[in-house]
Amino acid sequence: MTDAQRFRDLYEQCHPRVLAYASSLVGRQVGEDITSETFTVAWRRMGDIPTPPLPWLLGVARNLTRELRRRDGRQYALAAEEAQRIIASGPHVGDVAADVTEREAALQALATLSDADREVLTLVAWHGLGPRQAARVLGCSTATFSVRLHRARRRLERAIDAVAAAVAVEDSAGLSRDSRPKVTVKEH
């Protein structure tokens, strides 16, 4: 297989997930630029790309994002809704109103977390990486990542409880709803 064919296969397989990850860090427009640069690096370093390639590509995207933030001296907002839309673009069946309410509560809770907690949670929940792969993206050991993930999940649970409590107080219509939205973060 030629390098061009290997790159084409790599691009087709990983582009949507690299774009979703980069967009979750810096928004859609800048995320597209980061994704483009990530695949430029991949083309130049085809011989260095390990199997599976996704964690390596996400690590490159993360490093490019950090470099961009250092160079510009600005913080960029997490585009969680955009990343979720990109990854979960398949058909959806179920109670739309309940799903919207739960999603809104989860996004509100997620927005209250630190950038580091959001990144740890989204690498696993939205980008589908296991702890070993996510640890490689973040440049830490699997054990360190697992501890960070555990702590981030606990903080997310507390944030969801706080959002649910605020919604219950504001719900003047007296509609019956669960005291806590159903949000799951995959366990590995």
Side-chain angles (χ1 to χ4, degrees), residues 1 49 75 77 115 132 138 143 150 167 177 179 187-188:
M1 178 182 295
I49 300 174
Q75 291 293 334
D115 288 341
R132 198 167 105 224
L138 297 180
H150 173 76
V167 168
R177 64 172 81 200
S179 63
E187 295 282 343
H188 284 275

Side-chain angles (χ1 to χ4, degrees), residues 1-15 39 43 46:
M1 178 182 295
T2 67
D3 278 350
Q5 181 59 41
R6 185 169 171 239
F7 178 80
R8 190 175 12 254
D9 292 346
L10 174 77
Y11 184 87
E12 289 174 3
Q13 175 189 5
C14 297
H15 180 269
F39 282 99
W43 173 251
M46 281 301 293

Side-chain angles (χ1 to χ4, degrees), residues 72-136:
D72 291 348
R74 296 188 306 250
Q75 291 293 334
Y76 292 94
L78 177 68
E81 288 183 277
E82 186 65 21
Q84 188 174 21
R85 186 190 65 74
I86 291 169
I87 289 189
S89 61
H92 185 72
V93 178
D95 182 357
V96 175
D99 289 348
V100 168
T101 302
E102 290 173 10
R103 182 171 182 261
E104 182 61 28
L107 290 173
Q108 285 178 15
L110 192 62
T112 67
L113 300 179
S114 69
D115 288 341
D117 282 349
R118 283 192 302 252
E119 185 172 24
V120 166
L121 291 166
T122 58
L123 281 171
V124 172
W126 289 346
H127 300 289
L129 298 183
R132 198 167 105 224
Q133 294 173 324
R136 195 177 322 160

